[in-house]
Amino acid sequence: MMATKKGQSERVTLSVVRDAFFRGDFERCLGLCDAFKARDAKDVAEIALLRARCLIPLGRGEHAIQALRGLRLTDDQHDEYLTSRMLMSAAYMSLGQDDRGLEIALEAYGALGDAHATVRAELLVTLALGHYRKNEYSRAQFLLDAVPEDSDIVYVRALEYNGWLAWARGDYDGSVDRFRNALRRIDACDHYDRFIEAKCLFGLAYLCGELPRLDLWAEVAERIELFDWTVSGVAVWRFWIAIIASFVTELRGDLHGSTTWGTTAEEIAPDPACLIIAWCRLAARFGRNGESGAHAYFTDKARRKYDEIARDPRLREQRSLSLDIAEEVLHTESPQAALPLLTYYAEVVLPKVRGHGDDRRIIAAHAMALGLLEERRGNRARAEEAYLTSFEAYRAAGLLRRAAIVAYRLSVLTGDEQYPAFIAEALHDASETYWVKARIAKSRSEARLTKRQMEVLRLIAEGRSNKEIAAACRISYYTARNTVGHILALLGVESRTELAGIAAALGLVRAGK
């Protein structure tokens, strides 16, 4: 029996426990497992397996191993035995012991015999995960392709892992297709796994912001809104989605939305390291858009919190933490203030990520920070060299938003026209008010437009027709029309709407006017 909120008792049956598990409410399922009174060895086995299934996605792999080690199975419980070994394998992998996990999964696969089709499918997915974690992508792909489509939620999990596999290979379009397919299929499944949905939403949101694929955002945002984030275990995914959403809304020109998402990330940060990341996001949001006071405020908060957790190695070893702070410090303080953070990153973090599937992005981020450091020191040649390393790595990885940011720094440093051209292509769907595009437009406008053309640009942004522009500037209609055409050509845009965005970015009119 289990107490309810009204003080009554609820009879805990296996169907109640299963229902909590299949709804993805893992903490509740664990509580129900504790309250369930097993009648026989079969009940004991199922409860132990359900307990392990809940503990692994909640990040409690060691407790899952403990629960599985205490399981005693009879000779006729072959499927239960294979499932326990599969879960033991997954638990070891969740703890970073990939070789041990893969060894257990291979042993179980060799003993399949006449196992149930779902057990076979789960073992295939677990084996694929083991090979994926060891960067053995071809073997992982072969195993995932063998998972049958009629295996319900297990097939959806295979689709999710296929998404991450495509991601690791740099096939981002393939990754998008697989994540979207997984989300479509999960709605039609008999069973449910909240973690699959949360991770697919994270993957799609990340790609929206980094490729960038802003055309996907409405679809992703709607699903994020409908998702039940109150259930335990998904806090970290909710946090990262909020961080990404702040980037995406900034790209779309919605600075208020970007701030709101950044503040949400700050409020729901599951640990001090995530709190620092949220403050760095808010610092960047304000700083890149000219609000220096807010930038300094959030950068200072991040640096102070980082210094507080200096003795906690688990937090200091968060891969991006010291680099994120260093980049913001470089925008507000002397280069010397950022040097200890960059040194720590180079000596402690980078050696641990060499060979990791995501190491190109990590190395590119480090090179970007080094370029900013050298630029602040006045070492233009060294800055250009570091920026080029970062730019090429980001571009090769297909992370175009980040590549565009580095291209902007190279444009400022070198004046080379190839970088604005790259930015225009990479960020073609982004708002003209997005800070990278706005700054490029501003530099071009200030260099190319005459005083009269700047005034015409302002009038265009106010929605004036050519006839109204002619009257306001005391010129002929034809001169006004030709001036508008010259401005379009000079700024390399095709519409009055784009010109209005540039005018807002230049401060010629109030945003949204």
Side-chain angles (χ1 to χ4, degrees):
M1 308 289 279
M2 188 173 183
T4 65
K5 290 183 179 180
K6 296 182 180 179
Q8 299 174 332
S9 294
E10 172 189 6
R11 183 166 177 266
V12 179
T13 63
L14 266 177
S15 63
V16 171
V17 182
R18 290 172 187 147
D19 180 64
F21 172 75
F22 288 125
R23 283 189 294 106
D25 194 347
F26 294 153
E27 288 286 8
R28 174 170 167 73
C29 184
L30 289 171
L32 291 168
C33 286
D34 292 337
F36 179 74
K37 303 300 182 185
R39 295 170 299 177
D40 52 36
K42 186 175 181 180
D43 286 354
V44 170
E46 182 164 359
I47 290 297
L49 295 175
L50 283 170
R51 189 186 301 278
R53 287 184 184 278
C54 292
L55 290 166
I56 293 168
L58 289 173
R60 305 177 203 168
E62 67 279 6
H63 295 111
I65 292 170
Q66 184 178 355
L68 293 167
R69 280 178 176 164
L71 185 58
R72 298 292 180 264
L73 299 170
T74 59
D75 292 339
D76 63 342
Q77 292 178 294
H78 185 59
D79 284 347
E80 288 83 353
Y81 166 76
L82 292 172
T83 301
S84 71
R85 299 306 287 166
M86 179 272 297
L87 291 170
M88 184 75 79
S89 168
Y92 273 108
M93 290 181 200
S94 74
L95 296 172
Q97 300 182 41
D98 298 333
D99 289 335
R100 177 62 177 144
L102 190 55
E103 178 186 356
I104 293 169
L106 286 168
E107 170 202 314
Y109 192 74
L112 271 177
D114 59 351
H116 189 277
T118 301
V119 176
R120 289 174 173 271
E122 283 197 289
L123 262 173
L124 285 170
V125 171
T126 305
L127 276 170
L129 176 61
H131 288 292
Y132 168 79
R133 290 174 65 93
K134 291 172 68 65
N135 298 332
E136 297 167 358
Y137 298 146
S138 295
R139 182 60 180 166
Q141 186 69 71
F142 174 80
L143 292 163
L144 290 172
D145 289 344
V147 177
E149 290 194 32
D150 61 0
S151 55
D152 198 61
I153 196 67
V154 182
Y155 179 69
V156 177
R157 186 175 296 116
L159 285 173
E160 181 220 326
Y161 287 160
N162 257 314
W164 298 117
L165 185 59
W167 181 311
R169 288 170 158 171
D171 177 14
Y172 297 123
D173 288 336
S175 190
V176 166
D177 289 343
R178 286 161 178 82
F179 288 144
R180 296 176 81 184
N181 194 12
L183 290 173
R184 285 192 292 266
R185 294 291 293 255
I186 202 171
D187 292 334
C189 284
D190 293 332
H191 300 139
Y192 179 59
D193 187 325
R194 190 174 305 278
F195 283 80
I196 293 176
E197 183 170 5
K199 288 186 285 183
C200 287
L201 284 173
F202 164 77
L204 282 174
Y206 183 92
L207 294 171
C208 282
E210 295 295 350
L211 295 184
R213 284 285 305 273
L214 301 182
D215 58 302
L216 295 173
W217 182 244
E219 170 190 337
V220 176
E222 180 181 8
R223 188 130 191 169
I224 290 169
E225 182 69 24
L226 294 173
F227 189 87
D228 181 6
W229 296 103
T230 64
V231 176
S232 60
V234 294
V236 68
W237 301 110
R238 185 187 180 199
F239 167 79
W240 282 111
I241 285 173
I243 291 290
I244 294 161
S246 180
F247 282 114
V248 174
T249 46
E250 185 181 15
L251 279 164
R252 289 162 58 91
D254 180 5
L255 294 183
H256 174 72
S258 180
T259 303
T260 300
W261 277 111
T263 303
T264 297
E266 177 188 19
E267 292 170 350
I268 65 175
D271 55 54
C274 287
L275 186 58
I276 291 170
I277 290 167
W279 285 334
C280 287
R281 166 80 285 257
L282 286 165
R285 147 66 188 92
F286 288 112
R288 306 308 182 269
N289 291 282
E291 299 178 58
S292 57
H295 178 270
Y297 171 75
F298 284 109
T299 300
D300 183 63
K301 283 172 73 74
R303 182 61 187 267
R304 287 175 181 273
K305 177 60 71 173
Y306 182 82
D307 290 341
E308 284 179 20
I309 65 173
R311 296 183 181 279
D312 188 336
R314 293 172 301 170
L315 299 179
R316 288 298 295 266
E317 290 176 11
Q318 290 289 323
R319 289 185 304 185
S320 68
L321 207 55
S322 58
L323 198 60
D324 289 342
I325 301 169
E327 184 172 350
E328 299 313 317
V329 167
L330 283 166
H331 282 285
T332 57
E333 302 179 40
S334 68
Q336 195 63 29
L339 197 56
L341 294 161
L342 293 172
T343 300
Y344 176 85
Y345 190 84
E347 295 181 353
V348 177
V349 179
L350 277 181
K352 294 182 179 181
V353 300
R354 299 280 183 185
H356 187 278
D358 205 24
D359 62 356
R360 280 191 305 182
R361 181 188 64 79
I362 296 164
I363 292 168
H366 184 228
M368 166 63 179
L370 290 178
L372 191 56
L373 173 73
E374 296 299 343
E375 187 178 354
R376 290 293 311 279
R377 285 173 163 174
N379 298 328
R380 295 174 63 87
R382 289 183 180 179
E384 182 179 352
E385 181 181 2
Y387 284 145
L388 278 171
T389 298
S390 179
F391 174 69
E392 294 297 342
Y394 278 139
R395 186 167 63 172
L399 302 178
L400 299 185
R401 181 187 70 85
R402 297 180 191 235
I405 292 172
V406 187
Y408 167 70
R409 300 307 316 167
L410 283 164
S411 174
V412 170
L413 207 61
T414 67
D416 192 326
E417 280 296 310
Q418 69 168 306
Y419 299 116
F422 173 84
I423 291 167
E425 177 63 27
L427 302 181
H428 61 89
D429 287 338
S431 167
E432 296 301 321
T433 61
Y434 179 61
W435 71 271
V436 173
K437 295 180 78 171
R439 291 187 188 182
I440 289 290
K442 182 176 182 180
S443 63
R444 286 184 159 185
S445 300
E446 291 174 344
R448 298 182 180 186
L449 298 185
T450 65
K451 184 176 180 180
R452 170 174 284 178
Q453 288 169 335
M454 291 288 279
E455 175 62 14
V456 170
L457 180 61
R458 181 184 66 80
L459 294 169
I460 290 171
E462 291 179 355
R464 305 288 188 92
S465 67
N466 287 347
K467 185 176 180 180
E468 291 170 325
I469 291 171
C473 295
R474 298 181 180 181
I475 56 179
S476 72
Y477 166 81
Y478 298 103
T479 300
R481 184 191 64 183
N482 291 338
T483 301
V484 172
H486 286 316
I487 295 171
L488 286 167
L490 283 169
L491 299 184
V493 296
E494 299 177 356
S495 71
R496 286 176 175 254
T497 300
E498 291 177 287
L499 289 179
I502 292 172
L506 291 171
L508 298 177
V509 292
R510 292 193 303 273
K513 185 168 180 178

